Amino acid sequence: MSETNTVVAGSVVTLHYKLTLDDGQVVDSSEGNEPLAYLHGSNSLVPGLESALGGKAVDEEFEVTVSAAEGYGDRIDDAIQEVPRSAFPDDADLQPGIQFQATDQDDNPIMGTIEAADDKTVKVDFNHPLAGKNLNFAIEIVGVRPATTEEVEHGHAHGEGGHQH
Ligand code: ZN
């Protein structure tokens, strides 16, 4: 194992992944797609997964269970909020369980899930859909290389599976 193909801060890691919940439901997978590329140490991945990848090498395959606290966080009751019906388009589908993307105060993207709706108010759960859940990852590392200066400046990986811009 040479240092250049081991995952350290500043490595661009390319990997295939499969994310399964404890009930066996596969919620995300790179199967059939380009592998994901990310810059190690940039907090691009959930913390528990990024730390599990540290020190791993190219061609390694492993499974890791990440707790909610090290994943998308625990569920927070305060994240369930009532939003005026007028904040949504007239033709919005507001059936319980419908998910939509909104932005928080800082303009960061945030997922909302409709809990209930009437003429005046929509009850929205702004917890991440995977909050409170254990995340079971199956990982296959297909590439490790040092980040370019530009990637370090941008704080993300470029090229296939990374940012294209
Ligand atoms: Zn960039």
Side-chain angles (χ1 to χ4, degrees):
M1 192 193 295
S2 79
E3 278 189 20
T4 50
N5 65 13
T6 302
V7 178
V8 295
S11 299
V12 169
V13 183
T14 312
L15 56 83
H16 277 295
Y17 65 94
K18 186 162 97 171
L19 169 55
T20 309
L21 301 182
D22 285 346
D23 64 5
Q25 184 192 356
V26 177
V27 290
D28 199 6
S29 171
S30 62
E31 198 179 332
N33 293 312
E34 290 294 323
L36 172 76
Y38 83 97
L39 175 62
H40 192 76
S42 66
N43 301 317
S44 312
L45 308 179
V46 294
L49 178 58
E50 199 160 312
S51 65
L53 280 154
K56 294 284 197 292
V58 69
D59 293 334
E60 260 190 77
E61 290 181 45
F62 65 98
E63 294 182 8
V64 59
T65 295
V66 173
S67 67
E70 290 287 298
Y72 290 99
D74 293 314
R75 288 183 58 80
I76 303 166
D77 287 342
D78 286 351
I80 299 172
Q81 293 177 10
E82 297 199 331
V83 179
R85 174 66 182 83
S86 57
F88 292 85
D90 284 345
D91 62 352
D93 186 356
L94 301 177
Q95 298 296 315
I98 295 276
Q99 294 182 347
F100 63 95
Q101 191 157 341
T103 49
D104 66 12
Q105 309 90 299
D106 302 320
D107 256 2
N108 295 311
I110 180 172
M111 286 293 288
T113 306
I114 306 289
E115 289 234 312
D118 62 23
D119 291 348
K120 292 199 173 63
T121 309
V122 181
K123 198 170 167 192
V124 180
D125 183 354
F126 285 106
N127 283 293
H128 190 283
L130 296 177
K133 296 186 193 303
N134 287 331
L135 310 174
N136 304 295
F137 288 99
I139 301 293
E140 179 190 355
I141 301 179
V142 296
V144 179
R145 63 170 171 81
T148 64
T149 308
E150 191 182 49
E151 286 172 324
V152 172
E153 281 172 2
H154 288 199
H156 55 228
H158 289 161
E160 278 186 17
H163 273 252
Q164 316 273 353
H165 64 112

